[in-house]
Amino acid sequence: MSAAAATHVTLSGVHPLQLVIVGHVDHGKSTFVGRLLHETGALPESKVQQIRAVSERRGQRMEWAFLLDAFQAERDQGITIDVSRIPFKTHKRQYVIIDAPGHKEFLKNMVTGAADAEAAFLMIDAKEGLQEQSRRHAYLLSLMGTHQVAVLVTKMDLIDFDHQKFAEIERDIRAYLRELGLTPRAVVPIAAQGEDAANIVRRASNMLWYTGPTVIELLDQLEPRPQNDQLPFRMPVQDIYRFDERRIIAGRVETGRVAVGDTVIFSPSGKSAKVRSVEAWNTDRLPQSGSAGQCVGFTLDQQIFVERGEVASHEQDAPILSNVFRGNIFWFSHKPLRVGHTLKLKLATAEHMVTVQSVDEVIDTENLGGTGRQEVLRSEVAKVTLRARGLMALDEAVRSPLTGRFVLVDDFRIVGGGTISMEGYPNQRDLITVRSTNITASETQVDRDARWKRNGHKGAVLWMTGLSGAGKSTIAREAEKVLFLKGYNVYVLDGDNVRGGLNANLGFSPEDRAENIRRVGEVAALFADAGIICLASFISPYASDRERARKAAGDAYHEVFVRADLEVCEERDPKGLYKRARAGEIADFTGISAPYEAPQAPELDINTAQLTIDEGVALLVNYVESHIRFT
């Protein structure tokens, strides 16, 4: 059992609240924790004497930070390297204090500590005020979804308990946290060193201007995280064991619960079966269920091939399936992260090779703005888009923090981690799910080649993709006219037309837009099969949707990238849509608030920022005559 898991179990069976202590190096974290334990009677006198003796040998006054210095290297350098976990209790309940390192070099360990926490104390030195590393820690707390945050302004004795200086720090940190979407439970001025600890257990006589809670009062106001067994069932498959005639699927239930008789689905394979038994060792009576936090094994009522890395869930609330997602990441490697960088992504027990499709924004933690750079340097946080070749089973971190986090590995080293966001991207599960059964396609008496030969040209799907305003429909309509006059069977499908009929029931959410393209892709493929050249003019922002359309049409598919920069399209803005999107009147607008994944290797590239409409039409017509017409 891991240390983290062990902390969930106490003698009384009560879940202890896990609290992480973060802050810049030398801002007083270890001193605070040592003093807190002493003030609440959690330290035996022998330990206090040991700390006093070490302090005297070093010629220092009582140094409470020595309590947490588990390694000699830390004492030598005067910094905390590893994460320490300390059981602790007040009269109300039990806690586990996670003392996370604050130095920039050990940010990875700070994130490890924060990942398990239900609440956080952010420490700020009263003399130094809000530092860049303090901002970075606050940002990482928001990134990890630690929304229960309080701020302790330490070393108030070094500024003579000055109310005005404290008020300035409180104003700055509240403003910064507000931009992160965090509201601190309290901002408490404390002093942990010296004879009398201030505002930790007892109120400070020299800070009567402070009327908020003491640290102990604040602790007991914190709320435990909702129990994970109340969330949807998730069990990443760890392994499959064979005993006798049983195949036991084993793993740790991260959230929710599973019981005998439940139908479970495994993602991304999509295979499902009923749970026949929940297995256990050395017991005459097998359990009927397993719940969050337990390592369980179960058998199924039918033999299906399941492998490590798949995620077991109930079908009605299965994880998202996608080959692309947005990652809010922190980066630890000395080697900058750039577009095209391929890494191993570890997601629970699954491993996927992913490529950085785009670096969307490198965050300046000073002002929370973008740096404008396209590479992520060490200790920076950023928003990136990651793409895998195959489908991955994902959860968004905001809905499922435990299964919405990932780790990035390069050359066998952990180089980053982050949380999953599907902002702007659809769940592809519905797009690949076949619900109808007992389907038998009827055989046609007129095959495709016969239709094509009689027309004198092949059927084709000319899939015209590009930003709104790039010129897709204009070129398609003009080319349709030219080709028709030349004797081709040709027809234009465009977004406005199909949304008035076939797809009138779809909106503009990422899922609806993906379904829109799926249907159009299938229709266009039928046009091509019937011998018609179908000019399909759709923004179709997702590469996966276009790949699905290509698969539907097979060798009749030809991708045409109608290219124009976003700035050019905004200047044209023929329907006034960009202006409305910029004003916030249109949500999920491609290029503004939703992604556009440009084709990497289109069959034809028409740059309308450099060509006239006539020149673009000529390129398209020439392509048809050289690639689709029979000679």
Side-chain angles (χ1 to χ4, degrees):
M1 182 179 291
S2 69
T7 59
H8 284 79
V9 181
T10 68
L11 291 176
S12 64
V14 177
H15 166 71
L17 189 144
Q18 303 201 55
L19 172 75
V20 66
I21 312 291
V22 301
H24 191 24
V25 65
D26 284 338
H27 275 207
K29 298 182 302 300
S30 297
T31 299
F32 162 73
V33 174
R35 193 60 184 263
L36 175 66
L37 298 180
H38 174 63
E39 291 291 312
T40 54
L43 287 184
E45 182 57 28
S46 60
K47 180 63 71 176
V48 175
Q49 292 302 325
Q50 183 183 352
I51 298 169
R52 181 171 286 114
V54 172
S55 301
E56 289 174 355
R57 280 202 305 272
R58 291 170 176 259
Q60 297 174 308
R61 60 179 181 174
M62 187 70 168
E63 181 50 75
W64 296 100
F66 288 160
L67 177 67
L68 303 184
D69 291 340
F71 301 104
Q72 184 62 42
E74 296 181 62
R75 297 185 183 180
D76 293 340
Q77 298 179 39
I79 56 176
T80 303
I81 295 174
D82 206 351
V83 175
S84 301
R85 298 174 186 274
I86 307 120
F88 166 71
K89 65 180 179 180
T90 66
H91 293 301
K92 181 178 179 180
R93 66 179 169 210
Q94 296 178 306
Y95 299 87
V96 171
I97 296 177
I98 305 168
D99 177 41
H103 196 274
K104 187 176 180 179
E105 297 297 314
F106 307 119
L107 205 58
K108 182 164 58 179
N109 290 347
M110 176 261 154
V111 172
T112 302
D116 292 328
E118 299 167 79
F121 279 177
L122 174 63
M123 316 292 284
I124 297 178
D125 187 317
K127 197 171 182 179
E128 294 190 9
L130 191 59
Q131 300 292 304
E132 180 188 354
Q133 193 70 343
S134 307
R135 291 186 172 92
R136 186 176 284 118
H137 283 159
Y139 191 94
L140 291 178
L141 289 175
S142 71
L143 192 67
M144 300 303 294
T146 312
H147 295 299
Q148 202 167 199
V149 176
V151 179
L152 304 187
V153 179
T154 65
K155 305 182 186 179
M156 286 296 294
D157 51 321
L158 298 185
I159 61 168
D160 297 326
F161 308 101
D162 189 321
H163 183 197
Q164 185 59 41
K165 289 184 179 177
F166 169 79
E168 293 173 3
I169 295 172
E170 181 181 23
R171 182 197 59 211
D172 291 346
I173 187 61
R174 282 187 180 277
Y176 187 78
L177 292 176
R178 192 180 306 118
E179 292 187 61
L180 293 173
L182 297 173
T183 301
R185 290 300 183 100
V187 181
V188 187
I190 67 168
Q193 200 62 277
E195 292 298 323
D196 298 315
N199 288 336
I200 295 179
V201 174
R202 292 175 292 277
R203 291 192 172 276
S205 59
N206 40 21
M207 287 188 282
L208 295 177
W209 44 263
Y210 176 71
T211 58
T214 64
V215 171
I216 291 297
E217 292 169 345
L218 175 62
L219 274 172
D220 287 344
Q221 293 172 8
L222 297 176
E223 298 162 3
R225 185 167 50 203
Q227 295 301 295
N228 291 327
D229 59 4
Q230 298 172 2
L231 297 172
F233 169 54
R234 296 286 186 272
M235 192 194 84
V237 175
Q238 182 76 31
D239 215 335
I240 293 91
Y241 301 100
R242 178 177 288 278
F243 290 97
D244 305 325
E245 297 301 319
R246 297 168 297 163
R247 290 179 71 246
I248 300 176
I249 298 170
R252 174 187 161 92
V253 179
E254 296 293 348
T255 58
R257 59 189 297 109
V258 62
V260 172
D262 286 358
T263 297
V264 294
I265 185 171
F266 296 88
S267 300
S269 71
K271 297 172 182 173
S272 63
K274 278 190 176 181
V275 176
R276 184 169 59 185
S277 66
V278 176
E279 301 291 320
W281 292 100
N282 297 322
T283 178
D284 295 330
R285 187 174 182 181
L286 293 179
Q288 292 298 296
S289 65
S291 59
Q294 294 181 322
C295 294
V296 303
F298 56 78
T299 62
L300 300 172
D301 68 343
Q302 56 182 293
Q303 299 290 337
I304 59 174
F305 178 72
V306 176
E307 56 187 336
R308 173 185 166 87
E310 296 214 54
V311 179
S313 71
H314 292 133
E315 190 168 13
Q316 64 272 23
D317 49 23
I320 294 166
L321 287 184
S322 180
N323 62 344
V324 61
F325 68 89
R326 293 184 189 272
N328 299 308
I329 69 159
F330 33 86
W331 185 246
F332 303 131
S333 174
H334 289 284
K335 187 165 60 176
L337 181 69
R338 299 188 176 98
V339 173
H341 199 156
T342 297
L343 302 151
K344 180 185 292 183
L345 178 139
K346 289 191 173 184
L347 184 62
T349 58
E351 295 183 356
H352 304 274
M353 295 307 295
V354 295
T355 301
V356 180
Q357 177 172 294
S358 60
V359 175
D360 303 317
E361 194 169 35
V362 180
I363 306 298
D364 183 338
T365 52
E366 281 284 339
N367 56 26
L368 294 182
T371 64
R373 283 190 277 106
Q374 289 295 300
E375 61 177 12
V376 189
L377 306 180
R378 191 182 190 198
S379 298
E380 288 190 326
V381 291
K383 298 179 180 180
V384 302
T385 300
L386 299 172
R387 179 176 290 276
R389 286 189 175 180
L391 290 174
M392 302 172 282
L394 309 171
D395 279 308
E396 287 198 276
V398 294
R399 300 185 62 187
S400 186
L402 286 179
T403 52
R405 299 167 178 162
F406 62 87
V407 167
L408 295 170
V409 177
D410 191 19
D411 290 336
F412 305 103
R413 292 175 178 270
I414 294 176
V415 292
T419 56
I420 294 168
S421 166
M422 292 300 295
E423 179 186 358
Y425 283 102
N427 182 354
Q428 298 181 33
R429 181 177 293 276
D430 285 344
L431 303 174
I432 62 171
T433 301
V434 178
R435 292 189 170 83
S436 302
T437 57
N438 300 321
I439 297 175
T440 303
S442 61
E443 293 289 337
T444 178
Q445 299 300 310
V446 182
D447 68 18
R448 187 183 78 166
D449 290 343
R451 297 177 192 275
W452 289 9
K453 286 178 180 175
R454 192 174 73 172
N455 289 341
H457 63 80
K458 304 172 187 174
V461 175
L462 293 172
W463 193 274
M464 302 177 71
T465 175
L467 291 169
S468 177
K472 301 180 298 300
S473 294
T474 302
I475 291 175
R477 291 295 183 195
E478 291 298 320
E480 178 189 35
K481 186 168 60 180
V482 173
L483 290 170
F484 181 78
L485 292 175
K486 285 177 174 284
Y488 290 90
N489 284 328
V490 59
Y491 191 80
V492 172
L493 284 176
D494 73 11
D496 289 343
N497 288 357
V498 299
R499 280 187 175 275
L502 174 67
N503 294 344
N505 64 326
L506 298 178
F508 289 90
S509 68
E511 284 73 19
D512 279 357
R513 299 185 76 177
E515 174 62 13
N516 179 50
I517 298 305
R518 188 194 68 82
R519 294 182 191 179
V520 170
E522 295 292 337
V523 170
L526 293 175
F527 270 79
D529 196 53
I532 297 171
I533 298 172
C534 179
L535 303 177
S537 171
F538 294 85
I539 295 172
S540 47
Y542 307 120
S544 56
D545 292 343
R546 299 195 298 268
E547 280 304 306
R548 209 168 283 116
R550 182 186 291 274
K551 186 176 180 181
D555 60 1
Y557 183 92
H558 308 257
E559 192 162 79
V560 181
F561 183 20
V562 183
R563 178 198 300 269
D565 295 337
L566 177 62
E567 293 74 17
V568 173
C569 295
E570 283 201 72
E571 285 179 11
R572 293 172 181 166
D573 204 8
K575 301 176 183 176
L577 298 178
Y578 283 103
K579 188 176 180 180
R580 292 179 58 199
R582 291 289 187 191
E585 297 176 9
I586 303 177
D588 296 325
F589 192 82
T590 301
I592 303 296
S593 52
Y596 177 75
E597 299 172 354
Q600 298 300 306
E603 277 78 9
L604 179 63
D605 191 331
I606 301 175
N607 189 338
T608 63
Q610 299 176 357
L611 301 174
T612 65
I613 294 298
D614 289 343
E615 290 171 332
V617 171
L619 273 180
L620 185 57
V621 171
N622 288 339
Y623 180 86
V624 169
E625 297 206 291
S626 59
H627 290 80
I628 297 172
R629 183 175 187 172
F630 290 130
T631 56

